[in-house]
Amino acid sequence: MDVIIDHVIEEFQLPLKSPILIFSLILLIILLAPVILQRIRIPGIIGLIISGIIIGPAGLNILEKSLFVDVFSTIGLLYIMFIAGLELDLNEFKVTRNKSVLFGILTFTIPIAIGFPVCHYLLGFDVNASLLTSSMFATHTLVTYPIVSRLGVSKNIAVAITVGGTILTDTAVLILLAVILGAHQGGLTQEFWIRLAISLVLFSAFMFLVIPRIAKWFFRSLESERHSHYIFVLSVVFFSAFLAEIAGLESIIGAFVAGLALNKLIPHSSALMNRIEFIGNSLFIPFFLISVGMIVDVSVILSGPMALVIAGTLTVVAIFGKWTAAFFTQKIFKFSKGQRKLIFGLSSAHAAATLAVILVGYNAGILDDNILNGTVVLILVTCIIASFATESAAKMIIKNADEDEEVHLPYGPNNEYILIPIANLINIDKVLDFAVLIKEKKSVNPLAILTVVPNTDEAEKSIVKAKQGLERFLRETTASDTQATVKATIDHNAASGISRTAKEIMADIILLGWPQKTGFLDKLIGDKMESILENTDKTLFICNFEIPLTNHKRIFVIVPPNAELEEGFAIWVNKLAKLSVELSIPINLNCNEETYKAILRFAKEKKVPLSINYNYFNEWVDFLILSRKISDDDLIIMVSARRAHISHFGLLDGVPAKLERYFPSASKMVIYPQ
């Protein structure tokens, strides 16, 4: 008994030595700290940093800085920068690129212009420390973005240019960091600039030309091995960080660029993205934030007035610099006060990128304990201020929102219902991926996967067997944080079972795989499809994905005249816009001018970001003239119409057959609007 007690006492001696006990303590902090502080409306990131201060060597000395902590901390740091590059909406950036670039320049240069003289002349830092600290003022982390998303103002142009400006300012700060480190280590000689330029060119060429091609090949070759996709992505991140170091850059630059390189290949609503964010936000990133707190020495802050002066000055300069950038942005683009406040709230929070820059400078010996501790105070204060400013601004914008009449969807985003009938398991995974991308995230209804079995004595056994065959696909949708359910019905034929179920659950959209029957396109798209079209009034998507969705380079859409007059017009435009945003690819729109204007009007009223290249098209007799513009990596989407509807005309019936015959290796989709 005494031996056991002695062993327990030894294990709990401070600082803790047992990796198992250390890991258990870290997990407990990750679990409880954010929950406790969120009750008093303080961001969880602050709770983790404070926890690190308490348990660190300068606090209660429960944990010490060890190899175990350093490894997980490094992984978390790289993970933060990778997700920062991965989550940037490149499609939205293209739409607002001019405004985003100007805001990026303002939010980068103004904080540095204000911060450098303050750090150099007022606080007495040397040139390198002053420049690195002031560049930290230019960074911002979109900590408060979930607030604008929750309140429904994420489509406001002020949000779009702030998110877009993040690309420019974060990239510029990371390049400036490389320059400052070069100056600190050996001077900015001609050899340094040549080496830096060559390194950037070679590194960028490899990351943006080679890595995406390897990733496309990997995702396509091992499409069914979904768990290996995550391992591949992690390998790319850490290998990119290593290559950045070889090139004379910082490893965080490599991780950030890896995120940008894989951005288009990992849709924001995909299962892979969900896995990346889930594991990062659950383990690696919180571990990093705790380790940051462990570095902080509270005694340094309390040792004298100078430490408090530095912390207060850094915080005031950071907040004033971002407010000034938001003010000039408002005046230039004639935004409202609410939009200015929203830009300030989104861009004033300093967290991930700020920590990354300061820690690199601290480890290189450029920055001292006062600056590190002052930066932690800055993070605590700016995250709190940004949270309150963003929520207040979002509510102000909602209150003063334009009351003009909008083009309404025939269903609410909270109750959208998508039905996916499955005749066989061929390519079902691609159809489900498509469903996950276009589904309204606010909808409480799960994706309904339907299997229709013949009305025979073996019907019940067939239902059980069909459900078992679909279990793997249910796990995939759950991994993307999208709920799905399997529905089975007994009917004499599939078409009648689909039609009846669609009415029973009041489905808004039906997603069908491309029929496999030979010659089905000789008469529209076959008897089964004909029956479904005649017996349902739902928007119907008939899909044939030859390659993974992320491998497409654009969405090639062909729309007939008067399509804007159909009741389901808003549905398919909304879904194509969501698909374009998720895949970060543009829409090549081929239609007449009236339809084009209607689509633009819908996008403006619904505040939907659209990246459209418009081509006037009305040559339906010579439809194949479009073949000159279509390539195998296009997703061809043909908007058709049911017979006797306002946008239907005879030539439409032959288009699906031509798509099948002349574009056999391209992904295709035919849409029949409600």
Side-chain angles (χ1 to χ4, degrees):
M1 187 67 181
D2 291 338
V3 175
I4 296 176
I5 294 174
D6 291 340
H7 180 69
V8 171
I9 293 174
E10 183 181 348
E11 287 292 324
F12 280 91
Q13 283 184 346
L14 303 182
L16 299 176
K17 301 296 183 182
S18 170
I20 297 174
L21 200 54
I22 292 173
F23 199 68
S24 300
L25 177 62
I26 293 292
L27 292 178
L28 192 63
I29 292 172
I30 293 172
L31 174 65
L32 296 179
V35 175
I36 294 172
L37 283 186
Q38 281 175 1
R39 292 182 178 275
I40 54 177
R41 300 183 67 186
I42 294 178
I45 182 176
I46 297 175
L48 294 169
I49 295 174
I50 292 175
S51 300
I53 296 174
I54 294 172
I55 68 172
L60 300 178
N61 196 29
I62 298 175
L63 294 186
E64 62 181 353
K65 292 289 288 182
S66 61
L67 179 62
F68 178 80
V69 174
D70 288 340
V71 168
F72 269 85
S73 175
T74 302
I75 293 173
L77 175 59
L78 297 179
Y79 218 99
I80 283 177
M81 299 310 298
F82 170 63
I83 289 181
L86 197 62
E87 288 189 335
L88 292 176
D89 193 334
L90 298 181
N91 205 41
E92 193 167 337
F93 175 71
K94 291 176 183 177
V95 175
T96 61
R97 58 182 175 271
N98 294 331
K99 291 183 174 66
S100 295
V101 167
L102 182 55
F103 170 71
I105 293 172
L106 291 174
T107 200
F108 174 74
T109 56
I110 291 177
I112 291 179
I114 296 173
F116 182 81
V118 171
C119 293
H120 189 55
Y121 297 108
L122 182 61
L123 299 178
F125 299 163
D126 62 34
V127 173
N128 284 340
S130 299
L131 193 55
L132 186 57
T133 305
S134 57
S135 71
M136 172 265 291
F137 298 143
T139 65
H140 61 259
T141 305
L142 299 173
V143 171
T144 60
Y145 184 83
I147 296 175
V148 301
S149 180
R150 172 170 53 84
L151 293 176
V153 295
S154 59
K155 301 303 181 184
N156 191 283
I157 189 171
V159 177
I161 70 166
T162 306
V163 174
T166 305
I167 300 176
L168 180 62
T169 187
D170 281 0
T171 304
V173 167
L174 292 176
I175 293 175
L176 182 59
L177 174 63
V179 174
I180 295 170
L181 289 175
H184 177 71
Q185 293 166 358
L188 300 178
T189 61
Q190 183 179 7
E191 180 185 353
F192 168 82
W193 290 109
I194 294 174
R195 187 175 70 252
L196 178 63
I198 294 175
S199 298
L200 281 173
V201 170
L202 292 177
F203 178 69
S204 300
F206 180 79
M207 292 303 300
F208 291 109
L209 298 178
V210 178
I211 288 295
R213 285 177 168 79
I214 295 175
K216 282 183 180 179
W217 172 85
F218 185 88
F219 291 154
R220 190 170 188 174
S221 300
L222 296 176
E223 190 175 348
S224 60
E225 301 294 328
R226 298 299 179 97
H227 65 279
S228 64
H229 293 183
Y230 178 74
I231 302 301
F232 171 79
V233 168
L234 279 191
S235 302
V236 170
V237 173
F238 294 109
F239 184 65
S240 302
F242 171 74
L243 288 181
E245 288 186 337
I246 295 297
L249 305 171
E250 275 302 308
S251 58
I252 58 175
I253 297 178
F256 181 73
V257 172
L260 293 177
L262 296 176
N263 188 289
K264 289 188 175 182
L265 299 177
I266 305 177
H268 293 174
S269 296
S270 65
L272 179 57
M273 185 67 172
N274 185 263
R275 291 187 182 105
I276 291 170
E277 290 183 331
F278 177 79
I279 297 177
N281 293 331
S282 300
L283 183 61
F284 294 135
I285 295 175
F287 209 119
F288 165 70
L289 296 172
I290 292 172
S291 71
V292 170
M294 292 174 64
I295 300 173
V296 175
D297 190 347
V298 179
S299 63
V300 174
I301 299 178
L302 302 176
S303 61
M306 189 58 189
L308 293 175
V309 168
I310 290 176
T313 304
L314 294 180
T315 303
V316 170
V317 171
I319 292 172
F320 180 70
K322 290 298 183 182
W323 183 90
T324 305
F327 175 78
F328 280 109
T329 303
Q330 177 208 3
K331 294 301 180 184
I332 292 171
F333 298 128
K334 296 181 173 57
F335 286 162
S336 66
K337 290 183 179 179
Q339 288 174 310
R340 180 193 68 202
K341 194 173 181 180
L342 189 61
I343 293 172
F344 167 70
L346 284 170
S347 63
S348 60
H350 291 69
T354 303
L355 284 173
V357 171
I358 292 300
L359 274 181
V360 170
Y362 178 78
N363 293 330
I366 300 175
L367 307 178
D368 60 17
D369 289 338
N370 280 329
I371 301 177
L372 176 64
N373 292 331
T375 302
V376 173
V377 174
L378 179 152
I379 291 170
L380 299 178
V381 175
T382 57
C383 284
I384 294 173
I385 291 176
S387 298
F388 288 117
T390 303
E391 186 164 344
S392 173
K395 290 178 179 178
M396 186 184 302
I397 289 174
I398 293 171
K399 185 177 180 180
N400 299 327
D402 188 9
E403 299 295 335
D404 290 346
E405 184 181 355
E406 295 184 357
V407 178
H408 292 287
L409 291 169
Y411 57 85
N414 293 328
N415 57 13
E416 176 190 71
Y417 220 137
I418 297 179
L419 178 66
I420 311 172
I422 301 299
N424 56 64
L425 299 182
I426 299 175
N427 285 336
I428 176 183
D429 50 346
K430 294 190 179 76
V431 176
L432 284 175
D433 286 344
F434 173 70
V436 168
L437 294 184
I438 67 168
K439 184 181 184 292
E440 291 289 346
K441 300 302 176 278
K442 294 180 180 179
S443 176
V444 297
N445 295 321
L447 296 174
I449 304 174
L450 174 67
T451 179
V452 182
V453 299
N455 187 11
T456 65
D457 294 337
E458 301 294 318
E460 292 184 3
K461 292 182 180 179
S462 300
I463 288 176
V464 173
K465 186 177 179 180
K467 285 187 174 181
Q468 290 175 344
L470 293 170
E471 282 181 1
R472 177 171 68 87
F473 302 104
L474 286 180
R475 288 195 296 269
E476 287 299 322
T477 59
T478 303
S480 64
D481 210 19
T482 301
Q483 295 300 314
T485 183
V486 172
K487 291 184 175 294
T489 187
I490 300 172
D491 213 304
H492 293 289
N493 63 76
S496 125
I498 293 169
S499 303
R500 180 169 48 78
T501 305
K503 294 174 183 177
E504 287 175 355
I505 68 172
M506 294 187 288
D508 304 291
I509 296 171
I510 303 175
L511 298 186
L512 290 168
W514 205 260
Q516 302 297 311
K517 182 181 175 181
T518 304
F520 76 98
L521 290 167
D522 294 336
K523 180 185 178 184
L524 188 58
I525 47 175
D527 295 336
K528 174 183 170 183
M529 294 298 174
E530 181 81 21
S531 176
I532 295 173
L533 284 171
E534 288 179 355
N535 292 287
T536 65
D537 61 348
K538 315 297 183 182
T539 297
L540 191 67
F541 289 74
I542 305 172
C543 316
N544 179 23
F545 301 112
E546 294 290 340
I547 60 176
L549 283 164
T550 52
N551 285 13
H552 296 99
K553 291 187 176 178
R554 64 176 180 171
I555 303 173
F556 194 92
V557 185
I558 311 157
V559 188
N562 298 321
E564 67 275 14
L565 303 178
E566 298 282 4
E567 186 178 348
F569 170 75
I571 295 179
W572 66 259
V573 174
N574 184 52
K575 295 309 178 187
L576 295 194
K578 284 178 68 67
L579 185 64
S580 172
V581 169
E582 289 286 351
L583 298 179
S584 296
I585 56 177
I587 295 174
N588 187 290
L589 183 63
N590 300 268
C591 60
N592 64 24
E593 206 164 324
E594 289 76 14
T595 304
Y596 173 57
K597 290 178 179 178
I599 291 174
L600 291 183
R601 188 164 59 251
F602 170 83
K604 181 179 179 181
E605 291 174 350
K606 300 298 292 182
K607 298 180 175 61
V608 175
L610 272 181
S611 176
I612 289 183
N613 299 315
Y614 169 63
N615 297 306
Y616 177 80
F617 174 73
N618 207 28
E619 298 293 330
W620 291 92
V621 175
D622 190 15
F623 174 78
L624 291 178
I625 194 173
L626 290 173
S627 61
R628 305 170 191 170
K629 304 176 182 179
I630 298 174
S631 59
D632 285 346
D633 52 18
D634 285 339
L635 171 55
I636 307 171
I637 297 182
M638 170 67 207
V639 179
S640 190
R642 290 171 168 85
R643 286 182 181 140
H645 282 229
I646 191 167
S647 62
H648 181 270
F649 56 96
L651 292 174
L652 279 182
D653 296 344
V655 170
K658 292 178 180 178
L659 290 178
E660 177 73 6
R661 188 178 304 123
Y662 294 103
F663 306 103
S665 59
S667 296
K668 302 169 283 291
M669 186 185 304
V670 179
I671 300 175
Y672 289 87
Q674 180 176 338

